[in-house]
Amino acid sequence: MAASPLQKEQFTIAVVGSGLVGRSYAMLFASAGYDVRVYDASKEQLQRAVADMEQQLSALAADGLQRGCLTVQQTMAHVTATDSLEDCVTGARYIQECVPEDKDLKRGVWQKIDDMMESSDVVMASSTSGIVPSLLSDHLRHRHRFLVAHPANPPMLNPMVELVPAPWTDPSAVAEARTLMEQVGQVPIVLKREIEGFVQARIQAAIFHVAWQLIAEDYVDPLDVETAMHEGVGAWYAFMGPFSAEHINANGWLDLCSKYAQVVHRVQQTFSPPQPMQGPAATRLARELERWTPRDRLAERCAWRDRCMAALLRLRQTLDREEQEAEQPVS
């Protein structure tokens, strides 16, 4: 029998791993009023994680970007930290694993969780960024409830999350995960079947491929490639995807295809086979990037990026409200 839809008053969420992704997931779930148990083997790590979550939530609230309608204190009241994996997952209806990106480590953690599970209704989700779910769940008793739930970074400012089923995943588990993500304000995309790299990383890999060719074959300086993205196509892609952008650039998508399909195909045929990003070109690129941001200032630049993303999120929220108001019928 298929599991019933998730209802937040019916269950607790377990977050296994209190690193950056685990903290973000815990904040997202707790901000929506779910009771969240966060596990880490290190008590010191848990203490740092709880303090950091409270700090992040306070900063988001100060910027008007907090999720849900709870205060920071109310949100944190929904979070319980524990160094007992069994205490974390027992009785949970949704388990979000966020341990480091190591296949054997994740398989071992999931084996322990699977052995502790008493119900077959639990949704089992991994935050892996590149390991297909079949490689993490083929040994589990409850593998039919397993999927990947991979968030974009940073999850509190970037709402996209990829839901990826294994070949044996019950569709009800995917549907319940999607419902939960929508309830906490994330924007899920659901893959029909697993593929290495999922969606976002595959698109990024394609960009790396073309951009690396331009640099390695010395067509352009490295930072000019950066400029082409953030001052060019990136200005579109902050608000729409590649197909919808071209749909409105022409008189519809089919008009675009009739005019430019052959041009695009001709350009694509000039792409060289993928090459490892190493050697003299990698050294030259590193030198240019470190001129832009020295390695001892990476954290500072990361904070700047997050402030930019927060500003963009506020702008998009404002534009969305204005569009919704404009679409309201005049009484």
Side-chain angles (χ1 to χ4, degrees):
M1 180 182 296
S4 60
L6 291 173
Q7 299 293 330
K8 67 182 180 183
E9 67 271 12
Q10 294 179 339
F11 70 97
T12 296
I13 294 174
V15 175
V16 178
S18 67
L20 294 177
V21 175
R23 298 174 200 180
S24 292
Y25 264 130
M27 289 187 290
L28 286 170
F29 298 142
S31 294
Y34 290 91
D35 290 329
V36 182
R37 302 191 202 114
V38 182
Y39 163 80
D40 203 286
S42 167
K43 292 183 178 180
E44 292 76 14
Q45 168 69 7
L46 282 171
Q47 291 173 348
R48 289 192 295 270
V50 170
D52 181 62
M53 282 189 281
E54 188 164 2
Q55 184 178 26
Q56 287 193 57
L57 288 168
S58 297
L60 289 166
D63 285 340
L65 295 174
Q66 71 270 32
R67 301 289 185 95
C69 58
L70 301 181
T71 66
V72 174
Q73 291 72 25
Q74 289 170 332
T75 298
M76 291 304 299
H78 284 283
V79 177
T80 301
T82 177
D83 61 350
S84 167
L85 180 60
E86 185 171 7
D87 288 347
C88 179
V89 302
T90 298
R93 177 72 181 278
Y94 182 96
I95 301 173
Q96 182 68 57
E97 170 265 307
C98 304
V99 303
E101 190 78 353
D102 179 286
K103 185 183 73 172
D104 292 337
L105 173 63
K106 287 178 177 289
R107 285 177 63 90
V109 168
W110 277 114
Q111 182 64 73
K112 291 178 182 178
I113 294 172
D114 193 47
D115 291 342
M116 296 172 183
M117 287 170 48
E118 299 176 352
S119 170
S120 60
D121 289 342
V122 179
V123 177
M124 308 161 70
S126 174
S127 66
T128 173
S129 60
I131 307 172
V132 293
S134 61
L135 295 181
L136 298 176
S137 61
D138 60 336
H139 61 307
L140 302 178
R141 288 185 301 131
H142 300 95
R143 66 180 190 169
H144 66 291
R145 301 291 292 171
F146 190 92
L147 69 150
V148 162
H150 171 236
N153 185 45
M156 293 300 289
L157 297 174
N158 194 337
M160 194 276 294
V161 58
E162 299 174 300
L163 303 180
V164 189
W168 40 75
T169 304
D170 191 318
S172 68
V174 180
E176 292 181 48
R178 180 172 191 160
T179 296
L180 174 61
M181 292 302 169
E182 290 173 342
Q183 286 176 348
V184 302
Q186 295 300 88
V187 181
I189 62 172
V190 179
L191 277 73
K192 297 179 180 180
R193 59 185 184 275
E194 66 179 22
I195 185 171
E196 188 173 5
F198 317 141
V199 175
Q200 178 175 264
R202 290 185 73 84
I203 293 172
Q204 288 178 298
I207 293 172
F208 277 138
H209 174 200
V210 176
W212 181 254
Q213 178 185 351
L214 291 169
I215 293 169
E217 298 179 8
D218 204 25
Y219 284 100
V220 67
D221 288 334
L223 293 190
D224 283 336
V225 174
E226 297 281 304
T227 299
M229 288 298 298
H230 70 76
E231 298 289 351
V233 294
W236 298 338
Y237 296 166
F239 298 94
M240 62 188 70
F243 299 119
S244 54
E246 298 304 334
H247 177 66
I248 64 174
N249 277 342
N251 186 27
W253 175 251
L254 291 180
D255 178 62
L256 183 284
C257 290
S258 69
K259 293 176 178 176
Y260 298 108
Q262 294 303 317
V263 175
V264 171
H265 186 234
R266 190 163 62 247
V267 171
Q268 289 172 333
Q269 289 177 312
T270 69
F271 296 168
S272 62
Q275 299 293 326
M277 293 188 291
Q278 59 190 29
T283 302
R284 180 160 55 97
L285 176 56
R287 186 167 55 247
E288 292 293 326
L289 290 172
E290 288 168 18
R291 185 176 298 137
W292 175 67
T293 302
R295 280 180 289 176
D296 60 0
R297 295 185 57 194
L298 291 176
E300 178 184 335
R301 181 62 74 171
C302 187
W304 169 83
R305 178 208 63 187
D306 290 352
R307 290 195 299 272
C308 291
M309 292 185 66
L312 176 62
L313 182 57
R314 287 194 296 271
L315 173 62
R316 291 179 58 172
Q317 290 174 344
T318 299
L319 294 175
D320 287 343
R321 284 195 298 269
E322 291 177 352
E323 185 176 13
Q324 292 170 2
E325 290 171 0
E327 292 175 351
Q328 292 297 319
V330 178
S331 58

